[in-house]
Amino acid sequence: MTISVDMFFLRPDAQGTLQMQIRQFVAEGILAGRFPPGARLPSSRRLAAHLGVSRITVAQAYADLVADDYLSARGRSGFYVSENAPRPHEIDPPPAAVRETVDWARLLGPRTPSSLRRGKPRNWRDFRYPFVYGQADPTLFDQQNWRACLLMASGARDFHAMTDDRYEEDDPLLVEYIARHTLPRRGILARPEEILLTLGAQNALWLAATTLLADPRRCAAIEEPGYPALRDILRQLRCRVLPVATGAEGLSPGAVPRGVDVLFCTPSHHCPTGATMPLLARRQSLEAAEAGDCLIVEDDYEFEIAEGRAPLPALKSLDTAGRVIHVGSFSKSLFPGLRLGFLVGPAPFIAAARDLRATVLRHPPGLIQRAAAHFLSLGHYDALLRRIQRAFRERREVMLRAVAEHGLQPAGETAPGGSSLWMRAPEGTDTEALARRLREASVLIEPGRPFFGTPQAPGHYYRIAYSSIPAERIPEGIARIAAALRAG
Amino acid sequence: MTISVDMFFLRPDAQGTLQMQIRQFVAEGILAGRFPPGARLPSSRRLAAHLGVSRITVAQAYADLVADDYLSARGRSGFYVSENAPRPHEIDPPPAAVRETVDWARLLGPRTPSSLRRGKPRNWRDFRYPFVYGQADPTLFDQQNWRACLLMASGARDFHAMTDDRYEEDDPLLVEYIARHTLPRRGILARPEEILLTLGAQNALWLAATTLLADPRRCAAIEEPGYPALRDILRQLRCRVLPVATGAEGLSPGAVPRGVDVLFCTPSHHCPTGATMPLLARRQSLEAAEAGDCLIVEDDYEFEIAEGRAPLPALKSLDTAGRVIHVGSFSKSLFPGLRLGFLVGPAPFIAAARDLRATVLRHPPGLIQRAAAHFLSLGHYDALLRRIQRAFRERREVMLRAVAEHGLQPAGETAPGGSSLWMRAPEGTDTEALARRLREASVLIEPGRPFFGTPQAPGHYYRIAYSSIPAERIPEGIARIAAALRAG
């Protein structure tokens, strides 16, 4: 059998080089049973002409397939599907249509979907003015050096770092770098046994909450407004949750009720307003925690992209009573799809969180850990941070000017730092409806309601981020928000 | 200030190329404040002579540092630490020694360390005869093509697949490949909404157990002996757990007690004996599940490396009542440090598990998902599987011959498939003591006791795997086990 050249085509939406596409097409044909063992492939000349690619491209794809024993070369007579090629597995006939015999609604109870996605369309990149929060910007990220670090981390020297089942352990290179370089910048000194790597800040908060609040009689306090994903975590745990109102200086220590076991807060950069807790309030929080036998989980999710004012020391760095658990993340400084963050806390707590993590997922992928360790230790990370800081400062200035020009009202911190502004629309505005209308004008904003825990939450707040929009588009985007509010 | 050439040295244990090491040394010196802005670097000629490397190596490292603004070049006068170089952050004085004010033992309760690591030394690669289970073998893995796929997955086209915060979603490319190619080989037809990617099989089992057994009145049944990590998960959930004795044909459907809500089993390849559940028993299990309103979680952790006999269809493929949840993993076929697996089940169950996963960790890293999607769809995965299957078949044959020659007793399946043998030492042998003695002879075996759930577990079983030992070392390794047993 000779396989007709007409069976070959390149898909217009295909990924990878032409050579890879040809390789993939042949391999798939063999695995699907369309190209049986012994069948002869079209000559590279004929296939190249048919596909409109160079002959060397086809020849290289064929050579590659010979190396993996999909094809065999027989001197001048050409290429054949190898007798040793992977066989299509015999597939049993599909089962008879499945009868529904399980009452899933009763078994699983009412569904509590995560609030992460709320108000965030999948296709945000198709919008011209995407004031979306927390995604990476390809114009700022250092792809070239990141790829070089991936190559290092997947090379022969790092083979075991990438492939090993580490059970409950982390990559010692990354832990050491965080201990020696990342944490000292926040004033934190920690030994390796006081550090646990996590799948991003989400996983760090989940591990901390589950370790400390598994007993439903225990009580957590959270900021109001505050981080919606934290509220999801605590709802899942079914522990008691008390909201603490926050103001222009973030959470006020005096507002934390008695009897709280764990206080969750974002002192460096309150989510979502951007407020910074002053030094005095930090000290008071620590004193109150000790007096009330309370622990504090400090979510320091955004500190590394702050620039322009001297960062205040982390709460953890002021903690002489061993009561603060610190959450860090590389989601904003590298990219969120990396899923890499960390917990810093007293060794007995970290050991318990490590046992829990081992049961839930073992450890973050070795490749991710080692590539990050290289990227950090080679200094690419600091160079990237400076690039992000400069770009964000510029975008923030452009945005604040446009906001002022159009008479829009910031509702939170306007001093430098962070990647977003928290805004207040005129009272009575429904910013969820506003966001829907703005989509028609190719503008994405984030309605503020999900940041509040109560059903009576005010509906007139919204967040606009500048982490994924170029500076030159910001003025027009802000103008459109202003126009939509006027038309409102 | 000119930085003396004597401040430079290369660490003998350093990683990466010489050029990278020089770059890293300079960047670290700047970040640590040892090399202040304006300081002059040694000339590339002098530094090259001092370090004993070529001048071009130093020149390239310097050029790289100039590109990232760590250094600036001033014509002929040389290289200086850039005025724009990243500054060492001011570090607050370390906190006063921490007073212990938290009673962690009372707060956290008794520690329940994960059993994953038990009996598995970190330095297993230093042993000459490592019969360790579940680690990757660098002589079999296709590093070159894996790295090519990593480069694709980290390139401009895949930027958003790698970097995006996907919230609760998976990479559609990988889900589609699993639905169209991986699952049909097991006879399973599933739509994308019936598939959830996980951080390996560990995470898949945890998500399934937590979704189905969060109510402590519910009851799970597990195989005895069985997978220790599953026992950890169920202990953490505090649900009722009933062991079901398994025999030469794996779990017997008649042995499952009434009143079980979820049955966990490994029908394709029982852990740890390797037994395969016959087709009739599979059908009976499904009938019993429907009659008793029970769900079945099928852990199919090792099927893709099975070879030599026609694989039986997965339990899931026979399930017409929608009662089976299927767990798959790439840990054995690619490598465990990848942390990639999947759940397949009815859509309402997958939706609930997805909500839970979003709260715990959001999603597996985008880069890992996309690189795996490329590796699979380009056919490298199937070529790798065949290489693994051939090598494992050869090693298994060598091992079975050596085992027979030395009169050792297999206690489980000896037919082809899998990556290990389950063994029985003479009654009364303590295989934990045996394993300790064998370490002195550079042999690693796995004592069998952790696979049993009862304190009265027999102590004379052990497991020997051939996934990380070359065939030529197997006979001597087996000879040493036999000698240690005789000396016992």
Side-chain angles (χ1 to χ4, degrees), chain A residues 84-135:
Chain A
N84 301 317
R87 302 289 165 118
H89 283 239
E90 288 141 43
I91 295 172
D92 286 273
V98 172
R99 293 166 288 122
E100 287 300 341
T101 68
V102 181
D103 183 351
W104 287 105
R106 191 185 58 80
L107 180 63
L108 298 172
R111 199 176 155 201
T112 50
S114 132
S115 65
L116 293 171
R117 168 74 69 183
R118 217 176 135 191
K120 294 169 188 165
R122 282 172 188 80
N123 63 336
W124 62 268
R125 285 183 298 278
D126 299 340
F127 290 77
R128 192 161 167 82
Y129 308 99
F131 293 109
V132 294
Y133 181 85
Q135 301 287 9

Side-chain angles (χ1 to χ4, degrees), chain A residues 70 84 122 169 227 379 386, chain B residues 84 122 169 362 379 386:
Chain A
Y70 280 87
N84 301 317
R122 282 172 188 80
E169 287 180 1
Y227 184 42
R386 278 185 310 142
Chain B
N84 301 317
R122 281 172 188 80
E169 287 181 359
R362 300 205 178 176
R386 279 186 308 142

Side-chain angles (χ1 to χ4, degrees), chain B residues 77-238:
Chain B
S77 76
F79 291 89
Y80 296 79
V81 177
S82 166
E83 296 297 336
N84 301 317
R87 302 290 164 118
H89 283 238
E90 287 140 44
I91 295 171
D92 286 276
V98 172
R99 293 166 289 123
E100 288 300 342
T101 68
V102 181
D103 183 351
W104 287 105
R106 190 185 59 79
L107 181 63
L108 298 172
R111 199 177 154 200
T112 50
S114 130
S115 65
L116 294 171
R117 169 74 70 181
R118 215 175 138 191
K120 294 170 188 162
R122 281 172 188 80
N123 63 335
W124 62 268
R125 284 182 299 276
D126 299 341
F127 291 77
R128 193 162 167 81
Y129 308 100
F131 293 108
V132 294
Y133 180 85
Q135 300 288 9
D137 186 334
T139 66
L140 297 176
F141 186 64
D142 180 0
Q143 284 195 65
Q144 195 186 342
N145 282 314
W146 172 246
R147 295 173 92 192
C149 291
L150 280 176
L151 278 186
M152 273 178 80
S154 56
R157 280 195 140 189
D158 281 346
F159 183 78
H160 293 289
M162 174 174 77
T163 65
D164 264 13
D165 192 337
R166 306 186 85 94
Y167 306 107
E168 78 291 359
E169 287 181 359
D170 293 320
D171 186 341
L173 274 198
L174 182 56
V175 171
E176 193 199 332
Y177 192 91
I178 290 172
R180 286 176 53 175
H181 298 271
T182 308
L183 294 176
R185 292 191 185 177
R186 305 293 289 128
I188 299 170
L189 297 181
R191 301 186 307 277
E193 66 270 28
E194 295 171 322
I195 300 171
L196 181 72
L197 295 178
T198 65
L199 268 279
Q202 176 86 34
N203 187 229
L205 289 169
W206 185 87
L207 287 167
T210 306
T211 302
L212 299 174
L213 295 163
D215 181 338
R217 286 165 304 183
R218 291 177 68 80
C219 175
I222 60 171
E223 294 165 334
E224 172 77 1
Y227 183 43
L230 173 61
R231 226 176 270 119
D232 289 347
I233 290 169
L234 298 174
R235 192 177 56 215
Q236 189 215 329
L237 278 173
R238 299 200 180 91

Side-chain angles (χ1 to χ4, degrees), chain A residues 124-192:
Chain A
W124 62 268
R125 285 183 298 278
D126 299 340
F127 290 77
R128 192 161 167 82
Y129 308 99
F131 293 109
V132 294
Y133 181 85
Q135 301 287 9
D137 186 335
T139 66
L140 298 175
F141 186 64
D142 180 0
Q143 283 196 66
Q144 194 186 343
N145 283 313
W146 172 247
R147 295 173 92 192
C149 291
L150 280 176
L151 278 185
M152 275 179 79
S154 56
R157 280 194 138 190
D158 281 345
F159 183 77
H160 293 289
M162 174 174 77
T163 65
D164 264 14
D165 192 337
R166 306 187 86 95
Y167 305 108
E168 79 290 1
E169 287 180 1
D170 292 320
D171 186 341
L173 275 199
L174 182 56
V175 171
E176 193 199 331
Y177 193 91
I178 291 172
R180 286 175 54 174
H181 298 272
T182 309
L183 295 176
R185 292 190 186 178
R186 305 293 289 130
I188 300 170
L189 296 180
R191 301 187 306 278

